[in-house]
Amino acid sequence: MGLFHYNFRMKRSPLLSLTLSLLLLSLSACAPKAPTLSPQIVIQQSVAETLAALPTATQVPFPTPYPTPTPMSLAGLFCEYQFCIGHPADLAFFDLNAQKNPTAPSSYNQGIITAFNITTHIFLQVMWQSAPGATDPQPMLETILDDAQDAAQGNKEIKLVRNMNVVYTAITSTATALLPYGGAGAWNCGDRLFAWKAYAPEAASAGPLFEEAIARFTCGQ
């Protein structure tokens, strides 16, 4: 019995091996095959992987803007409507046209600004008008003087300041009893005429105020 069993096993071994081989072959034939990638896709993947592996460059920081030096102090300097004019630092100009009518403010071509300090009792007014080709500021001086309240005193001063024809006169005023004195001046710059007027409690105050205004005056020419 033992010999028979041994012979039987020996006879089955080749058949079992063949069966197993056929089974493995069948299973491998039924297994899903990996898709074949085109060369273009392989190249694209390789490029993408290479770029992803590259170290990222350090971003260059944006330059820090620093203010450029100002050729003159901004204290006591009004700059708007493409001109600048000096004034006492404790005074602040406002647009009189816009105050009267917000829909019609001053502009480059024409305007009027005014300032008043309730402590020092200084009143200032500046006006301008487009006047291409005009060089005589006298008409503008007459415009800023109020015939009913202002009166010129003494001789007019006429001088040339940085290619601007400048005229100035001391005045008295009845606009208010607190400010009986003052001064008025006018000049040309670019294609515009400008005029300035001050009311003050003392006669000696207006002249230096005008000198301060014209000394720091510039216009967009």
Side-chain angles (χ1 to χ4, degrees), residues 91-115:
L91 282 173
F93 281 109
F94 64 90
D95 187 341
L96 189 60
N97 285 340
Q99 186 80 4
K100 293 179 178 179
N101 185 359
T103 63
S106 297
S107 64
Y108 174 90
N109 291 326
Q110 66 82 31
I112 181 169
I113 56 177
T114 189

Side-chain angles (χ1 to χ4, degrees), residues 43-188:
I43 293 173
Q44 292 174 3
Q45 290 179 347
S46 299
V47 172
E49 292 173 358
T50 302
L51 293 177
L54 291 176
T56 56
T58 303
Q59 185 176 5
V60 178
F62 290 103
T64 302
Y66 294 99
T68 56
T70 304
M72 64 178 68
S73 172
L74 297 180
L77 185 67
F78 172 88
C79 289
E80 190 59 84
Y81 313 107
Q82 297 188 38
F83 73 86
C84 294
I85 189 168
H87 60 85
D90 55 2
L91 282 173
F93 281 109
F94 64 90
D95 187 341
L96 189 60
N97 285 340
Q99 186 80 4
K100 293 179 178 179
N101 185 359
T103 63
S106 297
S107 64
Y108 174 90
N109 291 326
Q110 66 82 31
I112 181 169
I113 56 177
T114 189
F116 177 70
N117 187 313
I118 195 172
T119 302
T120 59
H121 297 103
I122 297 295
F123 172 87
L124 297 180
Q125 189 176 78
V126 179
M127 62 187 303
W128 63 95
Q129 179 68 48
S130 177
T135 58
D136 183 7
Q138 182 66 35
M140 201 65 177
L141 179 64
E142 296 173 356
T143 300
I144 202 169
L145 291 176
D146 188 327
D147 293 338
Q149 299 176 338
D150 302 331
Q153 300 294 314
N155 296 325
K156 295 176 183 177
E157 300 177 20
I158 300 174
K159 55 186 175 181
L160 185 66
V161 180
R162 301 190 309 278
N163 296 323
M164 298 183 299
N165 296 318
V166 179
V167 57
Y168 174 81
T169 182
I171 64 173
T172 56
S173 176
T174 59
T176 170
L178 293 175
L179 308 171
Y181 305 102
W187 62 96
N188 69 303

